[in-house]
Amino acid sequence: MDRQLESKCLRLVENYRTLGEGNKLEFTEMLLACAGIYLAAGKEPDMDRVRECKKLLKSKAGLFSNFRGSDELLVRCKMALAPDPERYFESVEEAYQRIKSFFSGEQTVLAAMILAEQGGSEALAEKTKQIYKGMKDAHPWLTSENDLPFAALMAVSGRDASSVCAEAEEIYAILGDRLKAEKDTRQMLSHILAIRSGRAEDKCEKLCALADGLKAAGRSLGRGSRLAILGILADSGLPTDTLVGQICEADDFLKQHKPFHGLLGVGRDCRRMFAVQMVQASLSGEDSLGASAMLTASVELAILTMILMMIIVSSTASSSSASH
């Protein structure tokens, strides 16, 4: 196994353990997402700072605030990583107020965090709403608040709204003919691939080859939202066989550690999502923590966290329904 890849996997597991000790009632998937955030930042969780941010957040947001929902730990960790946690929260709240609607929830908070970390200007907020409206017009039955963070990622990509939306539609059409996936997953992938570099046709071809390669290797990510994580590798210059091999190695390595095995661990599809993230993290190298690399890592973590949030919210809703 590649030394760089093994190092990333070990760091993710160690970050998870540290965060888990101080947040024993937290969703496993959210602990993993936050462990990935610290991995991308090249830092270890400082639990004293995270606890201080919990107090600060409580003073800033009421119990029923969307900032205190399923992604509260994410908000606290992002605050803890910021030089000025209070100012970071205020910038996210400002962005949230600019894009919120009557039905806003945790996904709007994620979108606000993406915008805040790129300045959170009124212009970016308006561009986000414009792109989201384009999504809604094109796919009224598929588009929901879950797509708002992707609209924010597209807004901060540096491309004009019409161009990035047009490419997303092109990609959606191509994937409709080639990828066996749920419609909402294809839409999610169209948003992810639209902000990656390269030609739409090439990115779709690489994505489909990765999905087929993993299925052939017995490591399929299924047809649902978890499959969308492959989008972060669609513009990789490495051969498909090499990437599939590395994902399999990371999957095997993670399976040896909690919470990636056992009755209380996450499922294999979720584990493979993190295997994909570890491969991408290993490609960036140990010392690439400059502005460009950190932006790339933020995009990848935002995508991963959005997918995990959808899983968490869905699981919570199913449990609540079953208890009535």
Side-chain angles (χ1 to χ4, degrees), residues 209-214 217 219 239-249:
L210 283 169
D212 290 342
L214 287 170
R219 312 296 177 110
T240 300
D241 289 348
T242 300
L243 291 171
V244 169
Q246 290 184 349
I247 293 169
C248 292
E249 288 179 343

Side-chain angles (χ1 to χ4, degrees), residues 306-324:
M306 279 182 269
I307 297 171
L308 290 174
M309 278 299 302
M310 292 166 64
I311 295 168
I312 290 169
V313 172
S314 175
S315 300
T316 303
S318 298
S319 299
S320 177
S321 175
S323 67
H324 286 81

Side-chain angles (χ1 to χ4, degrees), residues 18-27 31 47 50 73 76:
T18 301
L19 288 165
E21 282 299 311
N23 300 276
K24 294 185 180 297
L25 299 180
E26 186 57 69
F27 287 105
L31 286 169
M47 295 311 298
V50 173
L73 180 62
R76 287 194 269 129

Side-chain angles (χ1 to χ4, degrees), residues 264-315:
L264 300 180
V266 297
R268 62 186 182 185
D269 288 351
C270 188
R271 184 183 70 237
R272 288 167 190 163
M273 283 177 57
F274 281 94
V276 173
Q277 189 213 348
M278 293 304 97
V279 170
Q280 177 58 37
S282 72
L283 297 179
S284 66
E286 291 285 0
D287 58 350
S288 55
L289 293 176
S292 177
M294 286 305 296
L295 175 57
T296 300
S298 295
V299 168
E300 289 154 5
L301 263 296
I303 291 167
L304 183 65
T305 304
M306 279 182 269
I307 297 171
L308 290 174
M309 278 299 302
M310 292 166 64
I311 295 168
I312 290 169
V313 172
S314 175
S315 300

Side-chain angles (χ1 to χ4, degrees), residues 180-182 184-185 188-189 221-229:
K180 292 181 179 179
E182 297 170 2
D184 55 352
T185 300
M188 195 185 308
L189 273 165
L221 282 160
R223 299 186 179 188
S225 59
R226 293 167 179 83
L227 180 62
I229 196 63

Side-chain angles (χ1 to χ4, degrees), residues 1 15 26 53 115 149 162 189 207 212 251 256 299:
M1 184 181 188
N15 288 350
E26 186 57 69
C53 288
L115 295 181
S162 59
L189 273 165
L207 183 282
D212 290 342
D251 186 34
Q256 303 173 44
V299 168

